[in-house]
Amino acid sequence: MISTLRQGYEARLASLAKDDGANPFASNPFAQGAAYVRGEIVPADEAMVPLFDLGFLRSDLTYDVPAVWDGRFFRLDDHLARLERSCAKLRLTPPLSTPRIREMLIELVRKTGIRDAYVDVIVTRGRMKTGVRDPRQAEAAIYAFVVPYIWIMPLAVQETGGSAIVTRDARRTPPGSMDPTVKNLQWGDLTRGFFEAFDRGASLPLLPDADGNVTEGCYNVFAVHDGVLTTPGRGVLEGVTRLTAVEIARAEGWSVSLTDVPVGSLYTADEIFLSSTAGGIMPITTLDGAPVGGGQVGPVTRRIWERYWDLHSDPKLSFAVDYG
Ligand SMILES: Cc1ncc(COP(=O)(O)O)c(C=O)c1O
């Protein structure tokens, strides 16, 4: 299944890069990506953020990342609903309505011609007059960009599973400081976690909270014990991929519990996998240098992985972009 998905994906990438006159996107200035800034669409690498935007100066923003796979948006409305909730929690009023944001994102993808895309939409606090410290006086701004699909764990690694650590140094920012259900870019803890993972010979960090429960990285985490799945129920982003994995698992008849997951329980898991829009269902077969279960991608992870990618062509959860 991975090899079929990989072949299709690599063939689409190759056809985009081809410049044989038959490819309408070969001379497209947006072929490497497009961005929406101040109401205009520009090539992604020319996009600029104003210095005084509080998104840049204070990380005062929220964002969301839907994706397009094989020319189809996946669960776009779920991502937009989460963006709306995040904005409401931060008391941000985006300058565009949700239906307009939806149209704008589709238009961005269409312009690039990219068939497997990472789509990022950011709502910032925007600007205030210099010297003013009252966030109510700022005018929110919106930015977006579309670039080729990004893999937190490359497909080649997904075949055998990746390596993770539970961080000892970095701890997840507590919900009382930054509400983790608001998708945010206060990434100090996550970046620290990545450095720790690399220092310890692994690729991906899992951050614990102060109570010794695992939280997340820039992905959600699932553990499987005797066919029962657990994933942290609080202190994390309510991932759209997590939701899809939960729905698939329940449809398969497996029990799933959104609950506290003590770090210790990861070491007795038969299987561990991560979930994110940027990479999908990502098996972890090495944790803190030791094999997870039998050290191979397990049957539960494999089945959820397969169903996850199948669902990308299901019209109930996805729709085709009209590239014109
Ligand atoms: C902190 C964090 N947790 C979880 C996720 C997974 O969310 P989703 O499945 O909606 O992409 C992300 C995605 O970027 C994230 O940044």
Side-chain angles (χ1 to χ4, degrees), residues 80-203:
L80 292 176
R82 184 173 65 186
L83 182 69
E84 263 187 9
R85 291 195 299 275
S86 294
C87 286
K89 286 177 187 166
L90 293 181
R91 303 211 235 166
L92 273 173
T93 308
L96 297 180
S97 66
T98 299
R100 276 291 298 124
I101 296 175
R102 192 177 193 276
E103 277 169 28
M104 179 267 282
L105 296 179
I106 296 169
E107 174 62 9
L108 272 184
V109 173
R110 197 193 64 73
K111 268 207 143 55
T112 65
I114 298 173
R115 310 231 8 131
D116 305 290
Y118 176 98
V119 180
D120 197 326
V121 52
I122 307 150
V123 179
T124 69
R125 187 73 59 196
R127 294 187 62 165
M128 292 193 283
K129 281 205 199 96
T130 318
V132 173
R133 291 266 158 182
D134 178 351
R136 292 171 303 183
Q137 298 198 22
E139 220 174 282
I142 187 160
Y143 305 87
F145 64 85
V146 169
V147 290
Y149 191 83
I150 292 172
W151 299 94
I152 291 174
M153 180 187 287
L155 266 179
V157 177
Q158 295 192 17
E159 304 216 19
T160 49
S163 59
I165 58 156
V166 177
T167 54
R168 297 182 196 128
D169 183 22
R171 189 181 280 175
R172 190 73 172 123
T173 304
S177 302
M178 178 70 228
D179 180 347
T181 66
V182 173
K183 196 164 161 66
N184 68 83
L185 288 174
Q186 298 191 10
W187 266 48
D189 53 354
L190 299 177
T191 302
R192 202 165 143 187
F194 270 103
F195 275 108
E196 192 181 333
F198 299 143
D199 287 347
R200 289 171 51 195
S203 302

Side-chain angles (χ1 to χ4, degrees), residues 288-312:
D288 287 356
V292 175
Q296 291 186 341
V297 181
V300 173
T301 307
R302 202 173 286 286
R303 180 69 189 144
I304 293 175
W305 191 100
E306 286 170 3
R307 288 293 302 133
Y308 176 75
W309 287 108
D310 278 351
L311 286 173
H312 281 65

Side-chain angles (χ1 to χ4, degrees), residues 43-55:
D45 62 2
E46 290 173 19
M48 302 275 182
V49 177
L51 176 63
F52 290 104
D53 189 310
L54 294 162

Side-chain angles (χ1 to χ4, degrees):
M1 173 80 188
I2 290 198
S3 60
T4 315
L5 189 91
R6 201 169 153 187
Q7 277 163 16
Y9 168 66
E10 284 170 359
R12 291 193 295 279
L13 276 184
S15 82
L16 267 188
K18 219 169 20 182
D19 188 1
D20 60 1
N23 179 355
F25 292 107
S27 56
N28 176 3
F30 303 106
Q32 300 306 314
Y36 177 93
V37 180
R38 296 192 212 185
E40 285 187 23
I41 296 182
V42 295
D45 62 2
E46 290 173 19
M48 302 275 182
V49 177
L51 176 63
F52 290 104
D53 189 310
L54 294 162
F56 177 71
L57 285 183
R58 308 235 176 97
S59 248
D60 191 349
L61 56 80
T62 184
Y63 74 118
D64 220 289
V65 176
V68 173
W69 185 255
D70 197 6
R72 301 176 72 85
F73 256 110
F74 186 63
R75 301 199 90 146
L76 177 58
D77 293 324
D78 292 305
H79 286 277
L80 292 176
R82 184 173 65 186
L83 182 69
E84 263 187 9
R85 291 195 299 275
S86 294
C87 286
K89 286 177 187 166
L90 293 181
R91 303 211 235 166
L92 273 173
T93 308
L96 297 180
S97 66
T98 299
R100 276 291 298 124
I101 296 175
R102 192 177 193 276
E103 277 169 28
M104 179 267 282
L105 296 179
I106 296 169
E107 174 62 9
L108 272 184
V109 173
R110 197 193 64 73
K111 268 207 143 55
T112 65
I114 298 173
R115 310 231 8 131
D116 305 290
Y118 176 98
V119 180
D120 197 326
V121 52
I122 307 150
V123 179
T124 69
R125 187 73 59 196
R127 294 187 62 165
M128 292 193 283
K129 281 205 199 96
T130 318
V132 173
R133 291 266 158 182
D134 178 351
R136 292 171 303 183
Q137 298 198 22
E139 220 174 282
I142 187 160
Y143 305 87
F145 64 85
V146 169
V147 290
Y149 191 83
I150 292 172
W151 299 94
I152 291 174
M153 180 187 287
L155 266 179
V157 177
Q158 295 192 17
E159 304 216 19
T160 49
S163 59
I165 58 156
V166 177
T167 54
R168 297 182 196 128
D169 183 22
R171 189 181 280 175
R172 190 73 172 123
T173 304
S177 302
M178 178 70 228
D179 180 347
T181 66
V182 173
K183 196 164 161 66
N184 68 83
L185 288 174
Q186 298 191 10
W187 266 48
D189 53 354
L190 299 177
T191 302
R192 202 165 143 187
F194 270 103
F195 275 108
E196 192 181 333
F198 299 143
D199 287 347
R200 289 171 51 195
S203 302
L204 299 164
L206 290 169
L207 278 66
D209 64 14
D211 301 322
N213 295 310
V214 69
T215 62
E216 59 188 340
C218 54
Y219 29 73
N220 293 112
V221 56
F222 287 77
V224 185
H225 293 84
D226 295 325
V228 175
L229 290 83
T230 51
T231 186
R234 65 185 170 112
V236 297
L237 184 72
E238 293 164 348
V240 175
T241 320
R242 179 182 80 155
L243 172 67
T244 311
V246 168
E247 288 172 356
I248 294 168
R250 289 188 174 145
E252 292 289 322
W254 295 315
S255 151
V256 187
S257 175
L258 279 73
T259 181
D260 288 350
V261 179
V263 164
S265 73
L266 293 180
Y267 301 106
T268 58
D270 305 319
E271 301 179 36
I272 295 174
F273 66 87
L274 313 179
S275 66
S276 170
T277 299
I281 305 297
M282 300 171 281
I284 294 297
T285 46
T286 307
L287 183 68
D288 287 356
V292 175
Q296 291 186 341
V297 181
V300 173
T301 307
R302 202 173 286 286
R303 180 69 189 144
I304 293 175
W305 191 100
E306 286 170 3
R307 288 293 302 133
Y308 176 75
W309 287 108
D310 278 351
L311 286 173
H312 281 65
S313 53
D314 184 332
K316 286 203 263 327
L317 295 180
S318 69
F319 65 88
V321 173
D322 178 3
Y323 289 92

